Amino acid sequence: MKLSKIISKIKKYLKNESLALTKQEKIKEIIEKLSLKKAQLKQDMKTLETEQEKEKMQKELNAISKLLKKSKKLI
Amino acid sequence: MSKQLLLIFGFVFFAYFVIAYQDLAILLSGIAIFIIGMFFMQDGFRLLSGGILDKLLQKFTSNLFYSILTGVISTALVQSSTITSLIVISFLSVELLTLVQGVGIIFGANLGSTTTAWIISSLGVDVKISLYAMPLIVFGVVLRFAKNSAYKGLGNVLLGLGFIFLGIAYMKEGFDTLKDSIDLAAYSMEGILGILVYIVIGVVVTVVIQSSAATLAIVITALNADSIIYINALALVIGANLGTTLTAILASLASNENGKRVAFAYFVFNLVTATIVTIFIGFISGFVDITAPYLGIDADNYGMKLALFHSLFSIIGLLVLSPFVNQIVAFSKRFIKKKVSAHSKPKYLLDVNLTLPEAAIVSIKKEIINLYENCQRAMFHAINLHTTNLKTKEDLEVQISKEVTKINTDIDEIYQSNLKILYSEIIKYSSFAQENMTSPEQQKVHDLKRSAKIIVEVLKDTRDIQRNLNFYLKSRNDFIKNEYNLLRKELASILIDINIINATEDEVERLTQLEMLKSTIQANDLTNSAKTDKLIREGKIKATMATSLMNDSATIYSTQKKLLEMATILFIDNSLIKEIGENFNETK
């Protein structure tokens, strides 16, 4: 195999690795954001008075939980 | 409010005017019947367009010569160039004819219409076209009961022709008083001034009477009674030819740009011919005197000589202008441009961005959002909701709680006249932009094109439920009425929610909201289905109502899902966030 081809393969590998790392970091960032939001919502829920508002917030919590679950699978 | 008052006032004034002046009432009735005839005829040709009529027309108008010949023969048969021009305008509206073919027929119609003068001058009586009206209307109505769309179309054409004949007859009757009051003998004038004055009189009379044949009848009668001199009568014929083009122009106002162009070409034809004939009137008059004996016309038979002059007018026009039909068509296209509404004009598709992939993607995306906003407005109107002051769910509650007022919204018309052009421009621009793009960029544009397709699909879905919605919202059965009101609310809610998502800056927040909507619409679909079953079991709605409700409920659910897919493509830029949302769907 020619040296130039080996170098190109190494470069490509390194590039993919760095991309994978960036992707992981980004997912972690999203997870962090979602977790914070979830915690915030849980806290806000305690202060809510009407059932309608609680139901709406519960829906949001469910959506965040599902998104968190999937995000964690992507890491 | 002031507009409504003005309308009521105008109507009352108009009603008084019609009641007080009986002659005017007959005339206006004639115009109204004439217009109804036009509508029927246009509808008829539209229904016939898929049948054999287009093939026949193609066969008999395959070149300019045949087009002219078809114009001559058909006009001679129906005895009215106005009717031929109306048919041509109708055909052009549904693109059964090309503009060149249409112009050819109109040119021929000018010559065909001169046969009327021959008949009048030889028989001395006008052909009563109203005699044909009643049988045509009867046959038209009978054919409209047929199941076959071609027969229905033919029925509409016959009805249209019947009403047009009847309308013209009423118009003539209405103008009888006016016809009697025009004393041409009092205005006999010699010389160039006389010619010019009589041309103007010919134009005015024909425009008022709406028939060059009627003008010719007056002229021939006046000439036979020596009320006017021969040269003035010739000038009146020139004026009648010019005046008759205005009828076609009036008829073309309700037509598309091709209809207007053919009417314009007809006007150009008669204007140029009138100018030539006026300049050489002495020579042409002499030529009529020389050729008349060869046709068996006596030297003092001015009526027949006038008919010969009328025919010569058209023959000269055909000889001079036929070689320039393509140029006349090109000129008419330049003069009458296709009207493009503001909604159908692309705002963001700039040619300079085509070679810059990122900029092109942004342009396409913005334009699709523009398409969506236009579609959304039409969707709101289709479900009888006003878009002004409809920003939040609270606004929606206010409108839904009120009694439904129908908003006339023809989605097909909106799509054809505005949105189809915009959609086509987006697809065209995207295809060109994709040429200079990498594979991931091409994928992005591909997704955007899909979102545009979804937008058009949901608009058509809304059209599909619109009929039932309007029908059941007025039902006396409160259960079905409530269910349809709920469907209306569900569709409007998602449109408002999507607007809220668009206004949200954070993409994770946008995705969360989209996920919430997904669960909401799924839950709604299950609840609706269970509710329908319960209503049937309890006998609160009929089975026919239930099937409509089930179908429309399924359409709404499918529309909502499509809208969410569109929103994900348009409003989630980050590919990773998009991936989370998409993978989440798959796991479901």
Side-chain angles (χ1 to χ4, degrees):
Chain A
M1 195 181 271
K2 281 183 183 175
L3 187 66
S4 60
K5 271 197 172 181
I6 295 167
I7 292 169
S8 132
K9 280 203 169 190
I10 292 168
K11 271 186 178 173
K12 207 176 173 184
Y13 174 78
L14 287 172
K15 200 180 171 188
N16 282 341
E17 274 299 287
S18 86
L19 267 178
L21 192 72
T22 322
K23 190 179 172 181
Q24 276 204 346
E25 278 173 0
K26 278 182 181 173
I27 292 174
K28 274 179 188 168
E29 259 177 47
I30 293 169
I31 291 173
E32 202 179 325
K33 214 169 185 179
L34 287 167
S35 304
L36 271 171
K37 174 102 176 147
K38 191 178 175 181
Q40 182 68 42
L41 280 173
K42 273 185 176 174
Q43 211 171 5
D44 290 349
M45 209 164 167
K46 288 172 191 166
T47 58
L48 291 176
E49 286 173 4
T50 63
E51 278 303 310
Q52 206 181 354
E53 283 174 324
K54 278 182 186 171
E55 199 184 318
K56 196 185 166 191
M57 200 161 274
Q58 188 58 50
K59 273 185 188 173
E60 202 172 347
L61 262 173
N62 291 344
I64 290 174
S65 302
K66 281 174 190 172
L67 287 175
L68 267 170
K69 204 172 158 186
K70 187 59 218 164
S71 308
K72 280 171 188 168
K73 272 187 186 176
L74 280 175
I75 294 177
Chain B
M1 189 68 186
S2 57
K3 261 187 186 176
Q4 277 178 331
L5 273 174
L6 203 71
L7 204 72
I8 293 166
F9 180 74
F11 188 78
V12 171
F13 180 74
F14 189 66
Y16 166 77
F17 210 62
V18 169
I19 295 163
Y21 300 93
Q22 282 297 311
D23 291 330
L24 199 72
I26 297 168
L27 171 70
L28 292 173
S29 308
I31 294 168
I33 295 168
F34 187 85
I35 291 167
I36 289 168
M38 268 179 64
F39 290 150
F40 268 113
M41 205 161 67
Q42 282 182 352
D43 276 349
F45 284 128
R46 204 166 288 134
L47 278 170
L48 275 173
S49 61
I52 50 164
L53 194 70
D54 49 345
K55 284 177 194 159
L56 279 170
L57 268 159
Q58 284 290 322
K59 204 175 169 184
F60 294 113
T61 53
S62 54
N63 61 40
L64 186 64
F65 176 74
Y66 282 127
S67 298
I68 293 171
L69 200 65
T70 305
V72 175
I73 295 167
S74 55
T75 308
L77 284 174
V78 296
Q79 282 297 303
S80 169
S81 61
T82 306
I83 290 169
T84 310
S85 61
L86 287 179
I87 294 172
V88 169
I89 289 165
S90 294
F91 272 29
L92 283 167
S93 307
V94 289
E95 292 176 6
L96 272 177
L97 284 177
T98 64
L99 197 53
V100 173
Q101 286 170 327
V103 170
I105 294 174
I106 291 283
F107 282 9
N110 220 39
L111 180 60
S113 70
T114 64
T115 53
T116 316
W118 286 100
I119 295 167
I120 296 166
S121 58
S122 55
L123 299 176
V125 287
D126 195 357
V127 179
K128 284 190 175 177
I129 55 170
S130 61
L131 287 177
Y132 304 118
M134 295 308 172
L136 281 170
I137 291 170
V138 171
F139 281 116
V141 170
V142 170
L143 282 170
R144 268 178 65 87
F145 285 114
K147 284 181 182 169
N148 186 310
S149 66
Y151 284 120
K152 265 189 185 173
L154 186 65
N156 275 357
V157 171
L158 293 182
L159 260 175
L161 279 174
F163 280 126
I164 285 172
F165 283 179
L166 199 66
I168 291 173
Y170 269 107
M171 278 193 264
K172 280 180 184 171
E173 200 185 321
F175 274 116
D176 265 351
T177 327
L178 183 77
K179 201 164 86 176
D180 296 339
S181 66
I182 296 174
D183 181 16
L184 296 166
Y187 302 99
S188 286
M189 287 166 83
E190 287 189 55
I192 296 167
L193 186 69
I195 291 168
L196 294 175
V197 167
Y198 271 78
I199 286 174
V200 175
I201 294 172
V203 171
V204 173
V205 172
T206 309
V207 168
V208 175
I209 296 177
Q210 291 275 298
S211 165
S212 60
T215 311
L216 277 162
I218 301 167
V219 176
I220 290 169
T221 320
L223 198 63
N224 284 340
D226 292 328
S227 297
I228 51 168
I229 55 171
Y230 182 56
I231 194 77
N232 286 168
L234 297 182
L236 281 169
V237 171
I238 297 170
N241 270 298
L242 273 176
T244 195
T245 60
L246 293 173
T247 317
I249 287 173
L250 280 175
S252 75
L253 292 179
S255 171
N256 65 4
E257 67 282 353
N258 271 346
K260 291 186 182 85
R261 282 168 189 160
V262 87
F264 175 75
Y266 187 31
F267 175 71
V268 170
F269 178 92
N270 276 325
L271 184 71
V272 174
T273 314
T275 310
I276 296 167
V277 172
T278 308
I279 293 167
F280 299 104
I281 197 161
F283 291 106
I284 297 165
S285 172
F287 184 75
V288 168
D289 290 338
I290 295 164
T291 49
Y294 295 102
L295 295 167
I297 302 168
D298 294 334
D300 59 346
N301 190 343
Y302 288 108
M304 293 285 265
K305 279 165 84 175
L306 201 74
L308 180 59
F309 176 81
H310 193 201
S311 294
L312 273 175
F313 178 98
S314 296
I315 291 167
I316 290 166
L318 279 173
L319 290 174
V320 174
L321 292 165
S322 294
F324 303 105
V325 166
N326 287 324
Q327 282 83 350
I328 293 171
V329 165
F331 181 59
S332 71
K333 279 182 181 171
R334 265 205 307 273
F335 193 74
I336 297 156
K337 291 201 169 84
K338 193 174 181 174
K339 259 191 184 174
V340 181
S341 85
H343 293 303
S344 56
K345 275 184 191 164
K347 287 182 186 169
Y348 307 100
L349 303 179
L350 304 173
D351 285 344
V352 285
N353 290 348
L354 273 174
T355 49
L356 309 162
E358 281 301 320
I361 290 171
V362 174
S363 301
I364 295 164
K365 192 176 157 183
K366 282 189 170 179
E367 203 59 68
I368 294 173
I369 293 172
N370 178 34
L371 175 75
Y372 172 66
E373 283 166 356
N374 283 311
C375 281
Q376 194 195 61
R377 197 176 308 118
M379 285 168 77
F380 273 129
H381 287 163
I383 56 173
N384 305 317
L385 290 168
H386 292 280
T387 45
T388 38
N389 301 325
L390 187 60
K391 302 279 181 287
T392 63
K393 295 277 183 70
E394 288 73 30
D395 297 337
L396 178 65
E397 284 295 339
V398 172
Q399 282 207 45
I400 291 278
S401 62
K402 286 179 187 167
E403 190 61 32
V404 181
T405 322
K406 194 184 166 191
I407 303 172
N408 286 322
T409 313
D410 186 344
I411 286 192
D412 281 327
E413 169 67 24
I414 293 170
Y415 176 68
Q416 289 296 336
S417 58
N418 295 329
L419 304 173
K420 194 179 176 184
I421 303 167
L422 190 57
Y423 178 42
S424 313
E425 288 293 327
I426 291 168
I427 298 299
K428 190 176 147 194
Y429 187 88
S430 305
S431 303
F432 278 109
Q434 274 176 311
E435 249 190 334
N436 310 310
M437 288 178 176
T438 60
S439 187
E441 286 165 345
Q442 281 185 348
Q443 184 57 44
K444 267 189 185 175
V445 175
H446 175 80
D447 290 344
L448 286 171
K449 273 156 83 175
R450 169 148 180 79
S451 72
K453 189 171 169 273
I454 292 172
I455 292 167
V456 173
E457 275 176 17
V458 295
L459 185 73
K460 290 182 178 175
D461 288 345
T462 313
R463 174 202 58 193
D464 293 342
I465 60 153
Q466 191 186 14
R467 199 169 150 262
N468 276 346
L469 193 90
N470 281 326
F471 181 73
Y472 286 118
L473 283 175
K474 283 187 178 171
S475 174
R476 286 182 185 170
N477 183 325
D478 282 338
F479 297 102
I480 193 78
K481 194 175 171 180
N482 288 342
E483 287 309 303
Y484 268 93
N485 220 4
L486 193 70
L487 287 186
R488 187 174 161 231
K489 189 178 161 183
E490 281 176 11
L491 183 59
S493 293
I494 199 152
L495 294 174
I496 292 170
D497 281 327
I498 287 173
N499 288 348
I500 294 167
I501 291 172
N502 187 23
T504 309
E505 284 195 7
D506 183 55
E507 287 222 330
V508 176
E509 182 61 36
R510 282 182 183 187
L511 188 65
T512 312
Q513 288 182 27
L514 279 169
E515 290 306 326
M516 275 171 67
L517 283 178
K518 275 175 197 165
S519 344
T520 309
I521 63 163
Q522 248 179 350
N524 285 348
D525 187 49
L526 287 172
T527 319
N528 288 346
S529 182
K531 261 168 70 183
T532 311
D533 290 339
K534 199 177 170 223
L535 287 169
I536 300 170
R537 277 198 302 272
E538 291 173 356
K540 286 175 177 165
I541 58 170
K542 289 180 198 165
T544 47
M545 290 174 176
T547 48
S548 297
L549 184 62
M550 278 160 68
N551 288 339
D552 293 331
S553 186
T555 309
I556 294 273
Y557 180 52
S558 145
T559 307
Q560 287 175 319
K561 281 205 292 187
K562 285 178 191 169
L563 282 166
L564 288 185
E565 189 188 342
M566 176 221 71
T568 313
I569 298 171
L570 286 181
F571 304 131
I572 307 278
D573 274 332
N574 188 316
S575 57
L576 196 59
I577 296 177
K578 208 175 257 182
E579 197 182 339
I580 295 169
E582 281 163 5
N583 287 338
F584 172 67
N585 273 343
E586 282 163 19
T587 54
K588 274 189 177 178

